Structures are given as structure tokens and as C-alpha cells.
Amino acid sequence: DIAKGLGGIEGVQKQLAQVDGGSPQNILILGSDKRPGDPSARSDTAMLIRLDPDQNAIALFSLPRDLKVNIPGYGVDRLNAAYSVGGPKLTLKTVSQVTGLEIHHVVNVNFDGFYRAVNAIDCVYVDVDRRYYVPPEATYSEIDIEAGYQLLCGERALQYVRFRHADTDITRTARQQDFLREARQKMTPGRLFRDRDDLIDIFKRYTTSDIDDAGTMLEVFKLFLSVADAPVKEVHFEGNVGPSYITFSQEQMKQAVDQFLGLEDTAGPRGGGIPGSEDSGGGGGGGDKEKPEPEPELIDSSEYGAQIGTDFAKQAGFEVYYPTKLTPGSQFSQDSRAYKIEDDDGKIHGIYKFVIQTPLLGEYYGVSGTTWSDPPILENPSETREIGNGTFDLFYDGDRLRMVSWKTDDGSYWLNNSLLQSIDEQQMLEIAETMQSVKPPRK
């Protein structure tokens, strides 16, 4: 029944590579606003996933929608134009031609299915880096999501992952990959089994694929189960962002494809071409590289940080940690706020978020704290380290330090890197180590 419900992408079988069951497979996943075959259907998401049970790893490689490509039979245009004129079939042909990869299956996920699936797993907790706002009367998709750690459901989750106004396409891709990481963490085998009827119904109704027979369906299902707990290796696309397109050299594409096939995390910040992109950081085993140039010294932010922290402590009612140092050129954003959050059990907690804007376009990092003792974002740290007088949990994506967290009797706290992970490890650790706290006034 699942295979019959999935089948619907026709004419792609000749383009797909054949593979024995249990062998590594490359799957092209497309996100579209309508089902294939609708003449007005559009796609703005294209991801390649490699599942390798032999290496017990998953590689994720997102292709920007604005990537400048040669669409067979149509000429040069953005990658997402291939879907508009030829649906999944032409998109598959274009992606195969651009990357040189053998692709074994293609899956099309309708946006309606995305937000229904998010609701079916009781939504996803996400640390939103800044406020996202587009008024309803605008000519493009509206959105109003405040900064901070929160539960995103349905339409708001879809708005968040699709947002691209004032962002580069690479930043948008990074936001999507972060959302998928948090969603995957929530999808435990127990939840999958418990909610299987709802999820299968959504899957059949809003997802189409070349897979249309029970045998192939079972093989792919076994493959996913075999890597259910495998680490995700994130491949960054290091293209060149221009006013109309994202362009790339053959060397850049070959490097990304080699990392994808080799199940290697891309070293450095997402997207490349930003300060610190040659830094291999630490903790991720990025290989032998020349020692990077030292980063500029951090700037003092203690006075203004203490002012905001004191205000947050009054509003939130618990001890607030604030940064006394920031990266050069950074400043506190008005998107910073103190608010309330509801946990999985329905209990209400105080929480705050310092939003810090960098000199880079659309780049924000942040400091958060909450009375919630075990928020999902702090699960599964890469390592625990003693730094100065404190104990910190460190979270890596490849060689980049994504997050630093610590706990006290009052609450849980964390420092989050930017979406493009542009802050190097040394700076992240120094910011975390030099945090100061302020307690709420006595009642």
C-alpha cells in the first residue's frame, strides 16, 4: 500500500542507477509547492542524501535553488527553473549532469506534507537566530517568528525553512539543515512506531517517488533502518554568491561531490568565502592544515550586556548569564527578548535570548538560558570539557563548534554559533568562558 501510494514520478527510471539492496544509495529529495504534473508546480529545495550502511553514516548535500546551471533542452537558468519547466524528471537530469553523481531514487515532498508531518510529530523545538518578519500585505510570503528557542508547528515551520528575503540562498540552506537535525533527533523509533498510521497516511498523500513496488520499498526501508542512528555528515556547497545566481567552479563541485561520496564533513564555515573559512577549528578531525591566522581580539560588551541581563533577570525571574565579550563588529540586537516556553510535559519555564548581530550580512549568533533543565537542544553533546573554572558541553558539526552549553542550579544555558558557523572555536570558547551572571531582585 505504501509503495502504491508513493508511485507517481514517471519517466525517471531510465535516468536512475541500479543498485543491489543493502549497498550505499544516493537519493534526490525535492520540496515543491504542488504535486508533480501540476503545470504551475515549483520547487525551491533540492537535497542529496547518501545512505551508507557499510560506513554507518549519512551524508547530506543541499543544492542552492539559485545555482546557475545548464538545464538540458532549455539553456542556462537557476536550478529551481528545471522543476518549473520539466518537474522532477528534468530536475533529476539537471542534478545528475551538474554533479556527475549516480542517483538511485528520487522523492518529491509536497510542502503541505511537510507541515502536516511536523504537526504529526508534535512540532519541532528550534533555536531561531533572529526575528523573521514579513507583513501580510507584502508581495512575498508573510512570516512573523520571534527570536529564541521555541516550538515551531505546521505553517510556521514551513515559513521558517522557506524564508529567503534578505538572506543568501546558502544561509537558507543552512537553516533548513539545522531544522532537519532537530526534527531527526525527535524522531525516535518509539515515536515512529506509535505514530506510524498518521505518518504513513501523510507520506502516501503528499510524497511521490519512483518507488512503486513493494520489493524496492522494502529494500529502501531496510536501508534507512540500518543507518537510523548514524551520524550525519554535512557537505557545504562553497559556491560564489552573486546578485542573480550562485555560481561554482568545476573544482568546487568536484570537492563537494568527493566529500559527499566519501561521507566527509566539509571543513570550515558553511558556504565558504567568509572570514575564518580556512580555519579547521578543532574536535572534528579536519586533517592537517596550515595554522590559520589568529582572529582579532574580542571586544568588550560587559556594560551593555549587564544592562540587558539585569532587565532579563527581572522579567524571567532566574539567574541570567550575559556575554562580556563579542566578536569584532558585533552588537546586541533589538530582537533580544525574555519570554516563556512550554516543555513537552506542558510545564511553563522562563527563558531569554540575547541576539547578537555580526558585521556579515544576515549573520546572528546568540546566548540563551532557561529554567527548563533538559531542553532537547542540549541532548547528545559531542564532548564535555573543563574550561577555566567551569564544565561545558561542546556540540560540533564536523570541525566547527556549533554550540557551547553549561548548567547551574538555576537553569540551562547555551551559546549558539551563527547559521553559517562563522565564529571560530577559540572565539566561541572565550565568549562562553567570560560570561557573567546577574540574579533577579529579591522579592
Side-chain angles (χ1 to χ4, degrees):
D1 288 344
I2 298 173
K4 187 181 294 184
L6 271 180
I9 299 182
E10 300 177 352
V12 298
Q13 280 72 16
K14 291 183 178 180
Q15 299 181 48
L16 297 171
Q18 300 301 307
V19 64
D20 294 330
S23 298
Q25 296 190 25
N26 303 325
I27 300 175
L28 173 62
I29 296 182
L30 305 172
S32 69
D33 57 358
K34 292 189 174 78
R35 290 177 69 89
D38 189 312
S40 62
R42 297 173 302 167
S43 173
D44 60 5
T45 300
M47 292 182 176
L48 286 163
I49 294 181
R50 181 170 178 82
L51 308 173
D52 192 333
D54 297 331
Q55 301 296 323
N56 189 36
I58 300 170
L60 177 63
F61 178 20
S62 293
L63 292 166
R65 54 166 279 163
D66 291 339
L67 194 65
K68 187 177 183 179
V69 298
N70 183 26
I71 301 173
Y74 289 87
V76 174
D77 207 333
R78 296 178 179 86
L79 175 61
N80 69 322
Y83 195 97
S84 299
V85 297
K89 182 178 178 180
L90 187 55
T91 304
L92 171 63
K93 189 173 184 178
T94 305
V95 170
S96 298
Q97 176 179 282
V98 168
T99 63
L101 284 165
E102 288 189 340
I103 298 175
H104 304 102
H105 295 292
V106 57
V107 177
N108 189 95
V109 182
N110 180 269
F111 290 149
D112 287 342
F114 171 85
Y115 75 72
R116 290 176 189 274
V118 170
N119 285 345
I121 63 171
D122 300 324
C123 311
V124 177
Y125 283 102
V126 178
D127 192 359
V128 179
D129 59 324
R130 61 178 176 94
R131 187 188 182 194
Y132 291 83
Y133 179 71
V134 175
E137 62 272 16
T139 56
Y140 38 90
S141 300
E142 68 175 279
I143 185 173
D144 189 2
I145 298 176
E146 296 273 13
Y149 191 57
Q150 60 194 285
L151 195 63
L152 291 184
C153 300
E155 185 67 25
R156 282 164 56 80
L158 181 60
Q159 290 172 340
Y160 176 70
V161 298
R162 292 193 69 194
F163 179 86
R164 65 189 303 268
H165 179 63
D167 274 349
T168 68
D169 211 17
I170 293 175
T171 302
R172 178 176 172 275
T173 296
R175 191 184 316 113
Q176 292 179 347
Q177 291 179 338
D178 281 356
F179 185 92
L180 288 177
R181 180 188 62 242
E182 299 304 325
R184 180 176 184 252
Q185 185 164 287
K186 193 167 185 178
M187 290 298 295
T188 62
R191 179 180 289 274
L192 278 171
F193 184 78
R194 186 195 72 191
D195 299 335
R196 63 191 184 281
D197 291 339
D198 287 343
L199 291 171
I200 287 173
D201 182 63
I202 292 169
F203 198 50
K204 290 191 298 184
R205 184 176 301 181
Y206 298 102
T207 303
T208 48
S209 175
D210 65 283
I211 301 169
D212 58 3
D213 66 274
T216 306
M217 181 74 238
L218 186 58
E219 285 185 1
V220 175
F221 183 64
K222 287 180 178 179
L223 183 63
F224 270 100
L225 285 179
S226 70
V227 293
D229 297 321
V232 176
K233 305 295 185 178
E234 188 178 297
V235 177
H236 306 165
F237 187 81
E238 299 189 352
N240 311 297
V241 180
S244 301
Y245 296 100
I246 293 178
T247 60
F248 63 94
S249 66
Q250 291 303 315
E251 183 180 353
Q252 286 173 319
M253 181 59 73
K254 183 180 185 303
Q255 180 181 357
V257 169
D258 287 348
Q259 290 170 346
F260 178 73
L261 293 175
L263 300 158
E264 300 176 21
D265 289 294
T266 303
R270 290 162 161 166
I274 58 176
S277 62
E278 297 301 318
D279 175 24
S280 64
D288 295 331
K289 294 193 176 185
E290 293 184 7
K291 187 175 181 180
E293 291 294 325
E295 293 291 335
E297 291 187 5
L298 300 179
I299 60 175
D300 180 77
S301 61
S302 54
E303 183 176 353
Y304 193 38
Q307 293 178 18
I308 304 175
T310 300
D311 187 44
F312 282 176
K314 293 177 182 177
Q315 297 178 53
F318 69 101
E319 185 178 22
V320 166
Y321 278 83
Y322 62 89
T324 64
K325 292 187 177 182
L326 301 178
T327 56
S330 297
Q331 59 184 354
F332 292 107
S333 167
Q334 293 183 346
D335 293 349
S336 305
R337 67 186 184 115
Y339 56 106
K340 301 292 183 182
I341 188 172
E342 183 178 341
D343 65 21
D344 288 323
D345 298 321
K347 185 178 180 181
I348 304 298
H349 300 273
I351 187 169
Y352 67 87
K353 168 91 173 185
F354 284 95
V355 178
I356 304 160
Q357 184 173 6
T358 78
L360 300 174
L361 178 64
E363 279 282 88
Y364 299 79
Y365 61 104
V367 178
S368 301
T370 178
T371 54
W372 189 357
S373 61
D374 55 351
I377 193 173
L378 301 187
E379 294 177 1
N380 303 316
S382 303
E383 66 173 90
T384 299
R385 191 184 301 180
E386 300 289 333
I387 303 174
N389 296 321
T391 301
F392 298 87
D393 284 338
L394 309 184
F395 299 76
Y396 286 94
D397 278 346
D399 70 333
R400 298 303 284 185
L401 182 55
R402 171 173 56 86
M403 186 171 68
V404 181
S405 73
W406 64 99
K407 293 187 177 183
T408 70
D409 292 338
D410 271 22
S412 305
Y413 306 86
W414 62 92
L415 164 68
N416 225 349
N417 208 329
S418 66
L419 283 173
L420 295 187
Q421 298 176 0
S422 56
I423 306 171
D424 75 7
E425 178 172 330
Q426 180 181 349
Q427 291 176 325
M428 287 281 289
L429 294 177
E430 186 175 352
I431 292 171
E433 186 182 359
T434 56
M435 293 280 178
Q436 294 293 324
S437 68
V438 57
K439 292 184 178 294
R442 295 182 179 180
K443 295 182 179 179

